[in-house]
């Protein structure tokens, strides 16, 4: 018998979400705009288009997000 543990958290820190989430749901003004594996959903384009933040995601031993600045969108 395998033990399965699921957790749902609300997270506004993109670096932490990128580092520890296997799957993510991105909300914009209460609407779900993207969902799926973190590697597929947490992209620079999604973050820029929905939050006006310029940055890049990276992967080494864990995923992360680096802020480059804010856009006027």
């Amino acid at each position: 018998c395998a033990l399965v543990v699921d957790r749902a958290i609300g997270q506004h820190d993109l670096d932490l979400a990128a580092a520890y989430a296997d799957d993510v749901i991105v909300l914009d003004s209460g609407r779900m705009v993207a969902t799926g594996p973190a590697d597929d959903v947490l992209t620079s384009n999604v973050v820029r288009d929905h939050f006006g933040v310029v940055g890049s995601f990276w992967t080494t031993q864990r995923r992360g997000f680096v802020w480059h600045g804010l856009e006027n969108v």
Side-chain angles (χ1 to χ4, degrees):
C1 176
L3 175 65
V4 177
V5 178
D6 291 323
R7 291 184 185 95
I9 63 167
Q11 181 57 260
H12 292 99
D13 185 320
L14 291 174
D15 188 45
L16 287 176
Y20 299 108
D22 295 322
D23 295 294
V24 297
I25 299 170
V26 176
L27 301 175
D28 185 355
S29 300
R31 288 183 351 219
M32 184 172 60
V33 295
T35 184
D39 286 333
D40 297 339
V41 172
L42 294 177
T43 66
S44 298
N45 289 341
V46 167
V47 173
R48 182 197 64 233
D49 293 348
H50 296 288
F51 305 112
V53 175
V54 178
S56 57
F57 287 92
W58 50 269
T59 302
T60 54
Q61 292 180 354
R62 71 173 182 93
R63 291 180 298 268
F65 181 78
V66 177
W67 298 89
H68 296 300
L70 300 175
E71 283 188 349
N72 294 323
V73 286

